[in-house]
Amino acid sequence: MHIAEGFLPPAHAVAWGVASAPFVVHGVRSLTREVREHPESTLLLGASGAFTFVLSALKLPSVTGSCSHPTGTGLGAILFRPPIMAVLGTITLLFQALLLAHGGLTTLGANVFSMAIVGPWAGYGMYRLLRRYGVPLMVAVFFGAFVADLFTYCVTSVQLALAFPDPSSGFLGALGKFGSIFAVTQIPLAVSEGLLTVLVMRLLVQSSKGELTRLGVLLTKKDARTGSEAMA
Amino acid sequence: MSKSAKTNLLLVLAVIALAVLPLALGLGDDKEEPFTGSDGQAETAITEIEPDYEPWFSPLYVPPSGEIESALFALQAAIGAGVLAYYFGLHRGRRQGEARARERQQAESAASGAGESGASQVPEPSQVPGASQVPGASQVPEA
């Protein structure tokens, strides 16, 4: 989903940067508050960022005969809420822009908007919605991660279609073109990301019950008795 | 293997299958260059829509070859995997430590509990079940 360096017209690059900045600033505040109030969560924050690092470096072949990579942002969004994921995603994108010439500084705002903001919010929204209707935790985690991944690529397609509308078929024509490159390729990869996120969540349930209960992912015994108030 | 470990293994196998199937079925065979990156394809699509578009900024650092680029991507994955492995390793170690502490505590409370019930005579440490296996247990009065 990385829009390459210099591949967005300056006005678009600036606009996406302006749109993303408040989310990242708010995210940095949430992150520092979380670390100050719960120093013990630093390790799990690191693990959530690390998951994004691994998954966004995994280039996987897809059914369209091209390769793409997952984003790994659903896990952190479910655990720590999306604002914090905006920071962790931005760090990952900066690493790739500076060291890998993958993405770029001029397109950072647009890439942050798709991968670190919309993806995590969409995934988190999906997860919360399913949990509210009593869907089992791991099923909700799967669809949360799936949606976070897929939405990221849909937003990238929209961003490119806005910047490069097709001369004959306009915005929608271009959206179809970029969508078939990004979104269709991404469907099986989003399934992979969902499965990997479930795997890590299962390991976390084994290893870090206390932490997950504090974060509201697992219910306490009291919550379970009185109905799922922690999720409301 | 436990049921939980089996489920985890199945999840990993499903991810591998999803990655291998497109290659095994030759889904990229109709392309000039099969399995290129979708990011690169988007760049091509942009130049098709707007042939005159020139990128107006170039990356500050470009890895000098594909090999170096792969190395840096591997580095990124390795950093992430390392942190994840550290996290799970640390928690596993902590859990084992806690389990051991709990066992020791139970042995101690069993030892002191036996002391209270045998009110008239103080039992020898060797008579208390479990006490002999736990070093230092008899010196600590209460858990």
Side-chain angles (χ1 to χ4, degrees), chain A residues 1-2 4-10 13 43-44 46-47 50-54 56-57 59-69 92 95-102 105-106 153 160 163-167 174 177-178 181-182 185 188 191-192 195-196 198-200 202-204 206-208, chain B residues 3-5 7-9 11-12 14-15 18-20 22-23 27-28 30-31 33-39 41-50 53-63 68-69 72-84 86-88 90-92 94-95:
Chain A
M1 43 51 72
H2 295 76
E5 186 77 281
F7 267 89
L8 274 184
L43 262 180
L44 187 55
F51 187 67
T52 300
F53 246 63
V54 178
S56 60
K59 295 185 178 179
L60 297 170
S62 176
V63 285
T64 48
S66 56
C67 278
S68 188
H69 57 83
T92 310
F95 179 93
Q96 297 192 323
L98 291 174
L99 283 180
L100 294 164
H102 198 56
L105 294 177
T106 59
Y153 283 79
L160 285 176
F164 302 100
D166 196 87
K177 198 166 196 171
F178 291 117
I181 292 173
F182 282 121
T185 304
V191 173
S192 297
L195 295 175
L196 286 172
V198 167
L199 176 68
V200 170
R202 286 171 57 85
L203 296 174
L204 284 175
Q206 272 178 15
S207 78
S208 323
Chain B
K3 188 169 169 261
S4 162
T7 312
N8 290 347
L9 186 66
L11 284 168
V12 173
V15 171
L18 274 171
V20 172
L23 297 173
L27 292 173
D30 53 328
K31 306 207 167 187
E33 264 189 285
F35 296 109
T36 52
S38 59
D39 292 352
Q41 291 184 353
E43 284 171 43
T44 314
I46 290 171
T47 43
E48 275 169 25
I49 291 176
E50 248 188 78
Y53 187 82
E54 283 289 324
W56 55 281
F57 199 83
S58 42
L60 300 179
Y61 168 76
V62 180
I68 305 290
E69 193 184 323
L72 287 169
F73 263 106
L75 178 71
Q76 185 191 333
I79 293 172
V83 173
L84 278 174
Y86 175 76
Y87 180 88
F88 285 113
L90 188 71
H91 278 75
R92 193 189 170 95
R94 271 188 199 158
R95 270 204 321 286

Side-chain angles (χ1 to χ4, degrees), chain A residues 88-165:
Chain A
L88 301 180
T90 303
I91 294 170
T92 310
L93 286 167
L94 258 179
F95 179 93
Q96 297 192 323
L98 291 174
L99 283 180
L100 294 164
H102 198 56
L105 294 177
T106 59
T107 52
L108 187 66
N111 290 332
V112 164
F113 198 82
S114 60
M115 182 178 128
I117 298 169
V118 176
W121 272 109
Y124 180 71
M126 187 68 186
Y127 162 79
R128 286 295 294 258
L129 190 75
L130 292 177
R131 288 298 275 161
R132 184 164 295 175
Y133 288 103
V135 171
L137 175 67
M138 289 308 166
V139 179
V141 166
F142 173 84
F143 281 105
F146 176 84
V147 164
D149 183 313
L150 203 57
F151 263 60
T152 300
Y153 283 79
C154 293
V155 172
T156 303
S157 306
V158 171
Q159 288 170 328
L160 285 176
L162 281 173
F164 302 100

